[in-house]
């Protein structure tokens, strides 16, 4: 079952202009969108789509307000798409069309599967100088005025029933477990992808909903170039710049008016089925990075998740 990566995230947003400005400043390429939508792409052709919050065509989300309303996974071929359609129980299927399969995961997130439209966007390696190993001589390092994200790498959902949600992705869709905080978080990789994770399920403080989406950039210089540009444009940092202990990635997250956060990411671990999943203790230091931006909320037992 060849799910090769992330094709699209669709947001329902309260302020289309602010949302569009955020993604332009973040470095995605704008495209004309029909029906009042705004569309932005990465260099590989993954899409961010913005629709008005009250668009009746948007599927429901576990939280009210601006947030991601659908995550679309890219599938390698039509046979894989048919296989997904056969495996997903009717109870979680949503109405689709001949080119897609639409469903809702056990935590209430609308997901879909479409034939991949991702393309490769080759990047020249950046030479680095380390002690005794100079690769860049008589030449300055790249200096980026703004980022231009290449690859939509992962999305993160906050869930209450971590095991049930992970079982859905692992047993029905073939996602692989990369690493975990037992009982608190699972890093999952799509079966046809090599990113350390394409989906992180986070179980913390009773929160539900979309947490963030991450984009790979070309090198560490671009993490800083993009982050400084975003800061200069008035966007607030959610977390960073920093370096994840799990996945090894350098990061910088920004609070997103469309909901949750958006992350610049560089040098994440690339893994295969030979990778041995590890378990990590969710110590306050290690787990503190998973603080919540807007777009998720605490589950207090009174405000039940929307269905
Ligand atoms: Fe992330």
């Amino acid at each position: 079952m060849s799910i090769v990566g992330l094709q699209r995230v669709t947001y329902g947003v309260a302020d289309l202009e602010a949302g569009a400005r955020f993604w332009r400043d973040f470095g995605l390429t704008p495209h004309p969108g029909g029906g009042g939508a705004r569309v932005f792409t990465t260099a590989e052709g993954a899409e961010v789509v913005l629709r008005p919050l009250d668009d009746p065509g948007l599927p429901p989300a576990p939280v009210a307000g601006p947030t991601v309303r659908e995550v679309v996974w890219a599938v390698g071929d039509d046979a894989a798409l048919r296989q997904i359609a056969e495996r997903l129980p009717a109870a979680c299927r949503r109405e689709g069309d001949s080119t897609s399969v639409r469903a809702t995961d056990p935590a209430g997130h609308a997901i879909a599967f479409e034939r991949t439209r991702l393309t490769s966007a080759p990047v020249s390696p950046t030479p680095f100088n380390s002690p005794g190993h100079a690769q860049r001589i008589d030449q300055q390092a790249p200096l980026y005025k703004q980022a231009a994200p290449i690859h939509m790498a992962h999305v993160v959902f906050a869930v209450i029933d971590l095991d049930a949600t992970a079982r859905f992705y692992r047993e029905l869709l073939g996602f692989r477990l990369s690493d975990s905080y037992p009982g608190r978080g699972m890093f999952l990789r799509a079966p046809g992808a090599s990113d350390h994770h394409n989906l992180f399920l986070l179980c913390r403080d009773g929160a539900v909903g979309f947490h963030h989406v991450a984009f790979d950039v070309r090198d560490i210089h671009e993490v800083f170039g993009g982050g400084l540009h975003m800061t200069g444009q008035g966007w607030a940092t959610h977390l960073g710049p920093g370096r994840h202990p799990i996945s090894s990635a350098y990061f910088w997250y920004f609070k997103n008016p469309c909901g949750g956060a958006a992350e610049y990411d560089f040098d994440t671990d690339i893994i295969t089925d030979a990778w041995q999943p590890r378990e990590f203790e969710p110590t306050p230091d290690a787990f503190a990075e998973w603080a919540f931006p807007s777009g998720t909320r605490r589950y207090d037992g009174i405000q039940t998740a929307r269905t």
Side-chain angles (χ1 to χ4, degrees):
M1 203 168 343
S2 182
I3 300 171
V4 299
L6 286 157
Q7 181 71 57
R8 181 164 65 251
V9 292
T10 299
Y11 290 84
V13 303
D15 185 339
L16 274 174
E17 294 308 318
R21 190 166 66 81
F22 178 89
W23 288 111
R24 273 198 307 272
D25 290 342
F26 196 80
L28 299 192
T29 303
H31 297 270
R38 302 295 185 91
V39 179
F40 300 85
T41 58
T42 68
E44 288 182 347
E47 298 166 320
V48 168
V49 176
L50 312 184
R51 293 187 176 279
L53 197 53
D54 57 0
D55 183 333
L58 288 172
V63 296
T67 190
V68 162
R69 301 290 287 270
E70 186 177 64
V71 170
V72 179
W73 294 95
V75 174
D77 53 39
D78 289 339
L81 200 57
R82 280 195 299 275
Q83 196 182 1
I84 290 169
E86 287 162 9
R87 290 184 66 97
L88 287 176
C92 72
R93 293 281 299 276
R94 294 184 292 123
E95 195 172 336
D97 54 38
S98 60
T99 63
S100 67
V101 175
R102 309 197 109 73
T104 303
D105 79 11
H109 307 108
I111 56 173
F113 305 86
E114 294 178 4
R115 180 83 183 264
T116 184
R117 287 184 283 113
L118 301 174
T119 57
S120 65
V123 171
S124 302
T126 303
F128 287 94
N129 291 335
S130 52
H133 189 65
Q135 297 177 317
R136 198 187 68 250
I137 299 169
D138 297 331
Q139 182 191 353
Q140 69 170 18
L143 188 64
Y144 298 88
K145 291 184 176 173
Q146 181 178 10
I150 304 289
H151 174 66
M152 189 186 286
H154 63 257
V155 292
V156 177
F157 293 137
V159 302
I160 291 173
D161 192 337
L162 179 60
D163 288 341
T165 311
R167 251 195 328 272
F168 173 88
Y169 285 98
R170 295 178 71 185
E171 295 179 5
L172 295 178
L173 297 168
F175 279 62
R176 316 287 205 258
L177 180 67
S178 303
D179 287 313
S180 66
Y181 294 105
R184 303 293 295 278
M186 288 193 190
F187 296 88
L188 301 173
R189 176 172 60 88
S194 55
D195 310 275
H196 174 271
H197 58 284
N198 305 106
L199 174 65
F200 179 49
L201 300 175
L202 171 64
C203 181
R204 179 174 177 170
D205 299 335
V208 295
F210 170 76
H211 187 279
H212 74 266
V213 56
F215 297 85
D216 287 351
V217 294
R218 286 165 281 187
D219 54 39
I220 185 66
H221 307 296
E222 193 172 8
V223 172
F224 280 92
L228 290 171
H229 177 73
M230 289 292 280
T231 304
Q233 295 300 308
W235 301 109
T237 289
H238 164 62
L239 188 72
R243 195 269 194 187
H244 287 304
I246 302 175
S247 87
S248 310
Y250 299 97
F251 64 81
W252 197 337
Y253 296 66
F254 286 87
K255 295 178 183 175
N256 185 347
C258 303
E263 175 186 6
Y264 293 122
D265 203 316
F266 169 66
D267 201 23
T268 193
D269 295 327
I270 296 296
I271 65 174
T272 69
D273 286 345
W275 177 269
Q276 295 299 310
R278 304 163 298 173
E279 294 185 349
F280 291 85
E281 182 79 15
T283 59
D285 278 355
F287 215 57
E289 63 187 352
W290 301 112
F292 288 103
S294 59
T296 56
R297 65 164 171 73
R298 294 177 69 90
Y299 178 81
D300 58 14
I302 298 170
Q303 278 187 292
T304 52
R306 284 167 49 183
T307 55

